């Protein structure tokens, strides 16, 4: 599987903003979120979320339809569609 592309746009003592681009067939790789975070979709699409147990679920993204998650989330994010997925990840530093 291809690696997703990330570009840190802002990194201050308070916040880190990263643009993520997942081409078709790419993945972020398994990771644990160490900070609370907000996702802001730039494109509409469907992501596949893979939990540490291997359980798979689908997440629908709507342009500008943000969502929040607490620190500690562990998963891999895959793009199993035929179109690129783009979103901003805003991590809130303690």
């Amino acid at each position: 599987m291809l690696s997703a592309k990330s570009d840190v746009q802002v990194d201050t003592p308070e916040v880190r903003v990263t643009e993520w681009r997942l081409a078709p067939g790419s993945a972020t790789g398994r990771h644990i979120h160490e900070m609370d975070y907000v996702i802001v979709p730039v494109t509409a699409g469907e992501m596949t979320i893979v939990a540490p147990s291997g359980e798979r679920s689908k997440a629908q993204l709507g342009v500008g339809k943000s969502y929040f998650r607490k620190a500690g989330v562990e998963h891999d994010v895959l793009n199993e569609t035929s179109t690129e997925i783009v979103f901003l990840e805003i991590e809130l530093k303690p």
Side-chain angles (χ1 to χ4, degrees):
M1 182 150 288
L2 301 169
S3 292
K5 294 184 177 159
S6 63
D7 177 32
V8 176
Q9 297 179 344
V10 176
D11 195 356
T12 70
E14 299 83 17
V15 67
R16 180 184 307 134
V17 178
T18 305
E19 178 189 67
W20 284 93
R21 292 185 167 272
L22 283 76
S26 69
T28 60
R30 186 172 165 180
H31 59 280
I32 298 174
H33 288 269
E34 309 230 344
M35 296 176 262
D36 293 350
Y37 65 100
V38 175
I39 297 296
V40 182
V42 175
T43 60
E46 179 182 83
M47 298 187 303
T48 301
I49 310 299
V50 182
S53 66
E55 181 181 341
R56 297 163 69 90
S57 61
K58 301 290 185 178
Q60 299 299 320
L61 297 178
V63 175
K65 300 292 184 186
S66 304
Y67 63 88
F68 169 81
R69 297 287 184 269
K70 297 291 287 175
V73 172
E74 182 176 359
H75 58 204
D76 191 0
V77 178
L78 291 66
N79 180 358
E80 298 180 317
T81 73
S82 61
T83 59
E84 182 180 53
I85 295 170
V86 181
F87 60 87
L88 297 176
E89 175 184 69
I90 303 166
E91 297 172 288
L92 308 171
K93 296 182 179 180

